[in-house]
Amino acid sequence: MSNNKQILLAKRPEGTPDKDTFKIVETEIKKPGDGEILIRTIYVSVDPYMRGRMVDAPSYVPPYQLDDVLGGGAIGEVVESKSQRFAQGDIVIGSYGWQSYYKAKEDEVRKIDKDIAPISTHLGILGMPGLTAYFGLLDIGKPKEGETVVISGAAGAVGSVVGQIAKIKGARVIGIAGTDEKNQYLKEELHFDEAINYKTTSNLQEDIAKACPNGVDVYFDNVGGEISDAVHANLNKYARISICGAISSYNLEGEDIGPRIQTTLIKKSVLMQGFTLGDFADRFAEGSQALAQWLQEDKLKYEETIKEGFDNIPEAFLDLFKGNNIGKLLVKV
Amino acid sequence: MSNNKQILLAKRPEGTPDKDTFKIVETEIKKPGDGEILIRTIYVSVDPYMRGRMVDAPSYVPPYQLDDVLGGGAIGEVVESKSQRFAQGDIVIGSYGWQSYYKAKEDEVRKIDKDIAPISTHLGILGMPGLTAYFGLLDIGKPKEGETVVISGAAGAVGSVVGQIAKIKGARVIGIAGTDEKNQYLKEELHFDEAINYKTTSNLQEDIAKACPNGVDVYFDNVGGEISDAVHANLNKYARISICGAISSYNLEGEDIGPRIQTTLIKKSVLMQGFTLGDFADRFAEGSQALAQWLQEDKLKYEETIKEGFDNIPEAFLDLFKGNNIGKLLVKV
């Protein structure tokens, strides 16, 4: 058995993280004690929210500490078990992050069903991104049949699920993404009604107005910044904005400055609600069940961008901010 | 009988309105026809939202037209009635605005009860500002006992009622206003727990932090701008922001630029809801009844700033933006 490879936070990034943000080390693999298991990692997840945890400031999750392993979603195989609850060969999911082996206490991880769908989907459409889409759209956005739903970051792990659930609910769905390839995927594979390339448009606000002749009733926002400013100008009375992410601001060195939103909210009686998935922790079973059922009924499709090789995890994470991936971005270790 | 004096919109203001924005004219008093009444105005209301209607842009109420009478809340006495529903001497309230006489159709105005409180209160604590406070605080802010409620524009017609309702509900209440006299009134007369003078503080964000050792759970926002930026920095997880007004921005000639709010909303799972009173039109009876009862039980106090003289209406309106008035600002014609 080889050593345990781990990726640590080497220094806190200012602006865009780079390779110096991370440090790869090798440590000895620890033997599981009673009630513990040893996991060999198969997939690790790279997610935009991890950028926020690299800053030493209070947020909804504690910041990473320097020289600690970067925590996050991971799937692995149990290679040794001293727990009654797990057998060798079981596939488990946890939040233990970027390391090739992990000695887990039995309540730190849970077993996943290998038969519903490929195991990697538990880090994507059946996991955190899928649940985020489900609750953020249905509990905050509350799209009604015939309403118009706009999604920024529409081709990402969350946005692509949001749009499909909105279609299931009978809404007209418009995605905003940054490449023609993504937009082709949104329209042809996921059946979005329209898709707008914010990088090539000469006037995003007008393009949104054209794509939404009845205005915008629900805006699912993964991005923030100028893209959102352009959507806000097209909101209908009683619109709902579900604020899931603001990836345009995560690497800013200064403040995120733009038009203040208050007057728009008053004029249109708009609701804006920020959330994180943890707000819905007591309803994960409901969400997982709905997503799994839609997947089995072929009402949901998903795409994964899977990179290979443990050492490529930092690069995959940095790719998130370049906006090139479609669907869920994973690394196969 | 004299002529009917009317105040018209002479030109659309850019930036802060001034005397040239308005034009006083005299016209003949019209005779009421069948089902109509003639009203002699006693009080007219001047309100911040009227600034928005002076701009030719879509909003929740249609813009004023050039050379039209400036509409808004008014109270008067019926001097001639050709309606079964009104008798001479009845006191009525309507939205017919800045004119000394008005020939109304019988469904344009409603009779008010002279016995509950002085009739002027129907333009203030028992009228639009009181109802705005009631629904904006209770339906959006939803303060719980022991929570902390912060109010900007706290000494105004709406803010002063919001704070008192929040106290009735058992919250800790902090007001932000712009003179020491107002703050003394908030603390000594209305029993706010703390009041902060945003004009004399050297660091508003820190002052709010000190006044709110447990953070801010509900923010009732009449003002927007930098005052709100400072409150946003002190929000608690699951805070609610009720966006009632943004008076700091109404006279801006350019865009209202400042920190974008999205990241704050995500980190703290904050709800922000813009509203106007019309959103609650089907529940006015409930609100009016609650306010009248609290008033009779001495749980609500109110202050009015009453200017005298029809010709002084424009000046009274302009005073709103100087921030000198306490409570409801009215003109007695």
Side-chain angles (χ1 to χ4, degrees), chain A residues 110-168:
Chain A
R110 64 182 170 80
K111 213 162 117 176
I112 58 181
D113 185 339
K114 290 177 271 191
D115 300 329
I116 308 177
I119 60 169
S120 58
T121 58
H122 291 271
L123 290 174
I125 195 158
L126 294 181
M128 201 256 292
L131 290 168
T132 299
Y134 179 89
F135 291 110
L137 178 69
L138 297 181
D139 271 65
I140 298 170
K142 295 180 177 159
K144 297 188 201 93
E145 200 172 331
E147 284 192 328
T148 300
V149 176
V150 172
I151 303 152
S152 62
V158 175
S160 57
V161 184
V162 171
Q164 294 181 84
I165 298 176
K167 290 299 295 177
I168 291 170

Side-chain angles (χ1 to χ4, degrees), chain A residues 70-322:
Chain A
L70 287 148
I75 286 175
E77 183 182 358
V78 177
V79 290
E80 192 179 346
S81 175
K82 294 207 167 165
S83 156
Q84 304 275 332
R85 278 151 62 178
F86 297 95
Q88 202 178 320
D90 281 351
I91 302 295
V92 294
I93 186 167
S95 299
Y96 62 81
W98 297 1
Q99 46 195 326
S100 59
Y101 286 89
Y102 183 62
K103 175 175 73 81
K105 297 193 183 77
E106 59 187 7
D107 55 1
E108 277 184 286
V109 297
R110 64 182 170 80
K111 213 162 117 176
I112 58 181
D113 185 339
K114 290 177 271 191
D115 300 329
I116 308 177
I119 60 169
S120 58
T121 58
H122 291 271
L123 290 174
I125 195 158
L126 294 181
M128 201 256 292
L131 290 168
T132 299
Y134 179 89
F135 291 110
L137 178 69
L138 297 181
D139 271 65
I140 298 170
K142 295 180 177 159
K144 297 188 201 93
E145 200 172 331
E147 284 192 328
T148 300
V149 176
V150 172
I151 303 152
S152 62
V158 175
S160 57
V161 184
V162 171
Q164 294 181 84
I165 298 176
K167 290 299 295 177
I168 291 170
K169 297 293 175 183
R172 178 176 162 80
V173 175
I174 287 84
I176 304 174
T179 70
D180 290 340
E181 184 200 356
K182 287 180 181 180
N183 284 344
Q184 194 176 350
Y185 166 72
L186 294 177
K187 289 177 75 168
E188 293 178 10
E189 300 294 323
L190 305 189
H191 308 296
F192 280 38
D193 297 281
E194 295 287 347
I196 300 169
N197 184 335
Y198 71 89
K199 283 190 180 157
T200 56
T201 176
S202 60
N203 189 327
L204 181 58
Q205 185 176 322
E206 271 180 24
D207 279 6
I208 295 167
K210 274 180 212 156
C212 306
N214 298 320
V216 178
D217 300 297
V218 177
Y219 176 38
F220 193 102
D221 189 2
N222 291 302
V223 169
E226 290 179 8
I227 292 175
S228 295
D229 299 341
V231 179
H232 297 160
N234 286 289
L235 293 172
N236 282 339
K237 181 101 182 165
Y238 304 124
R240 289 82 66 194
I241 308 177
S242 182
I243 313 272
C244 175
I247 197 168
S248 70
S249 74
Y250 294 169
N251 291 328
L252 288 180
E253 291 187 50
E255 273 195 297
D256 182 18
I257 299 294
R260 288 198 183 88
I261 189 79
Q262 286 94 329
T263 309
T264 302
L265 300 190
I266 297 169
K267 284 189 179 175
K268 304 285 180 70
S269 295
V270 172
L271 174 139
M272 210 171 175
Q273 170 83 62
F275 77 102
T276 53
L277 183 54
D279 301 342
F280 301 96
D282 56 345
R283 290 172 51 204
F284 284 178
E286 168 202 331
S288 299
Q289 203 176 337
L291 291 163
Q293 188 177 332
W294 287 327
L295 197 63
Q296 280 166 339
E297 293 170 354
D298 254 346
K299 290 182 181 164
L300 286 183
K301 294 179 183 175
Y302 64 94
E303 193 83 15
E304 293 168 335
T305 304
I306 300 182
K307 310 236 165 191
E308 305 261 343
F310 187 88
D311 294 357
N312 293 323
I313 296 172
E315 196 183 298
F317 174 75
L318 299 177
D319 278 353
L320 285 174
F321 300 95
K322 296 181 188 148

Side-chain angles (χ1 to χ4, degrees), chain A residues 59-60 225 229 237-238 243-245 249 256-260 262-263 265-267 269-274 279, chain B residues 59-60 225-226 228-229 237-238 243 245 249 256-260 263 265-267 269-274 279:
Chain A
S59 184
Y60 59 93
D229 299 341
K237 181 101 182 165
Y238 304 124
I243 313 272
C244 175
S249 74
D256 182 18
I257 299 294
R260 288 198 183 88
Q262 286 94 329
T263 309
L265 300 190
I266 297 169
K267 284 189 179 175
S269 295
V270 172
L271 174 139
M272 210 171 175
Q273 170 83 62
D279 301 342
Chain B
S59 183
Y60 59 94
E226 291 181 5
S228 295
D229 299 341
K237 181 102 182 166
Y238 302 125
I243 313 272
S249 74
D256 182 20
I257 299 293
R260 288 198 182 87
T263 309
L265 300 190
I266 298 168
K267 283 189 180 176
S269 295
V270 171
L271 174 140
M272 211 169 174
Q273 169 83 60
D279 302 343

Side-chain angles (χ1 to χ4, degrees), chain B residues 93-105:
Chain B
I93 187 167
S95 299
Y96 62 80
W98 297 359
Q99 44 195 329
S100 59
Y101 286 89
Y102 183 62
K103 176 175 72 82
K105 298 193 182 74

Side-chain angles (χ1 to χ4, degrees), chain B residues 119-133:
Chain B
I119 59 170
S120 59
T121 56
H122 290 271
L123 290 173
I125 194 158
L126 293 182
M128 200 256 291
L131 290 168
T132 300

